[in-house]
Amino acid sequence: MPSTTLSLTQQIPLTCSGHTRPVVQLSFSGLVSGSSYLLISACKDGKPILRDGPTGDWLGTFLGHKGAVWSAMLNADTSRAVTASADYTAKVWNAFTGQELVSLLHNHIVKSADFTDDDAAVITGSQDKSVRIFDITRPDQPSTLATHGAPVRSVKWSRHKNVVVSAGDDKRINILDLRAPTAVKTLEVGDSISNISLTSDGRILSCASGKRIIVWDVESFKVVKDIAMDYEVSVAAVNPQRTRIVTGGKSDLLIRSCEFESGKELEVHKGHHGPVHDACFSPDGEVYATGSEDGTVRLWQSNPGSAYGLWQLRKI
């Protein structure tokens, strides 16, 4: 079990307000030009928010859903966003103007959505246990890629392997090839899945399940880390450099930064006033964002003390 070593630097995170209910999912874009990138957040208030990544400054709110939004993702060039909602739709948006481009109808709550590489298609995961793919030029003709034995919690597109990764409440992660009629691989987790996450290059898959953090190499889907924790893990995200894992707890409100190789706790932060539902790293690995039941997004430095963005630090 990882030991705890508290950081000697107290970090003051950037707190991003704007949501009125719990923030349930976050996603950074890739680097857009130079060192700039964006952050999008999904919230139960039904109003996804787009922000400047390094500062957290508000850029816009996507208005149109009539229920909680469970997922929000940007495409590769940040020109479009896709959101998944309890109103039985996934929506594709113009990320520059906030205009709704297409609504993808489902027969149940949509928990997750993502773009494929060419942005011509959207994959979705639904409460009805199905993983679907939509050609956004023909949104009324979706195809079912696979079904889980329970509601689908999350879907991700791996740019490295060109496969869909879907996680369900059946304690399974399916690896789906768009050219194959069935899952090409199934990862049995053994406990309830709280969250799955891919690194920005799509090469590393991490999963928070019960009191474990499991990490796979997407090239082979072999387990490279299986770390036992002493608390129920709500999220586990790996940085692009594969040196850190950020985790959140379901009940203790703490955010932990752990060494990737050993699982040793390097920093423990308290900032949220509710459980942490999601975390993700910026494409350069310098920042990680956390979203919480308290309705806020908080931005943290991966390397406290370095000159980056707007952070203020206080030595203790």
Side-chain angles (χ1 to χ4, degrees), residues 2-9 244 255-259 262-269:
S3 61
T4 301
T5 302
L6 293 180
S7 170
L8 297 179
T9 300
R244 293 288 185 97
I255 298 142
R256 296 169 171 88
S257 179
C258 304
E259 188 177 67
S262 67
K264 176 183 177 182
E265 286 181 357
L266 301 175
E267 299 169 11
V268 180
H269 299 299

Side-chain angles (χ1 to χ4, degrees), residues 64-253:
H65 278 297
K66 297 179 181 178
V69 172
W70 291 101
S71 167
M73 299 290 291
L74 291 161
N75 68 346
D77 67 4
T78 70
S79 63
R80 292 182 177 183
V82 62
T83 53
S85 173
D87 64 8
Y88 292 24
T89 71
K91 294 182 184 294
V92 178
W93 311 81
N94 182 317
F96 300 135
T97 66
Q99 177 187 3
E100 180 184 321
L101 300 177
V102 64
S103 187
L104 309 174
L105 302 180
H106 293 66
N107 56 16
H108 214 307
I109 293 168
V110 191
K111 293 302 293 287
S112 187
D114 199 0
F115 290 103
T116 59
D117 250 359
D118 60 6
D119 301 338
V122 165
I123 51 172
T124 66
S126 172
Q127 197 79 6
D128 69 1
K129 309 176 186 178
S130 296
V131 179
R132 295 180 175 86
I133 184 167
F134 289 79
D135 180 336
I136 60 177
T137 65
R138 296 179 293 170
D140 57 342
Q141 300 177 41
S143 299
T144 299
L145 292 176
T147 56
H148 279 264
V152 180
R153 177 171 289 271
S154 182
V155 293
K156 304 285 186 184
W157 174 256
S158 171
R159 292 175 173 83
H160 174 61
K161 289 283 283 187
N162 290 331
V163 293
V164 177
V165 181
S166 66
D169 288 337
D170 56 1
K171 306 176 184 178
R172 293 180 176 180
I173 297 173
N174 285 335
I175 312 304
L176 309 170
D177 189 320
L178 300 184
R179 301 163 296 182
T182 58
V184 296
K185 193 171 186 63
T186 297
L187 309 175
E188 301 282 353
V189 176
D191 207 340
S192 298
I193 297 171
S194 299
N195 179 282
I196 62 169
S197 177
L198 282 168
T199 51
S200 54
D201 60 8
R203 291 176 178 268
I204 294 292
L205 170 67
S206 56
C207 173
S209 175
K211 293 184 176 182
R212 295 165 64 205
I213 298 170
I214 311 168
V215 182
W216 294 267
D217 178 351
V218 172
E219 182 64 38
S220 62
F221 286 103
K222 291 182 178 179
V223 174
V224 294
K225 297 291 172 189
D226 191 340
I227 306 171
M229 311 302 282
D230 58 3
Y231 56 93
E232 292 283 332
V233 186
S234 59
V235 61
V238 179
N239 70 344
Q241 294 80 11
R242 299 164 183 71
T243 57
R244 293 288 185 97
I245 304 176
V246 164
T247 76
K250 286 189 174 181
S251 59
D252 63 9
L253 316 186

Side-chain angles (χ1 to χ4, degrees), residues 287-308:
V287 177
Y288 58 91
T290 55
S292 168
E293 184 76 15
D294 66 12
T296 67
V297 175
R298 295 178 192 254
L299 302 181
W300 310 79
Q301 277 191 286
S302 298
N303 302 294
S306 62
Y308 190 95

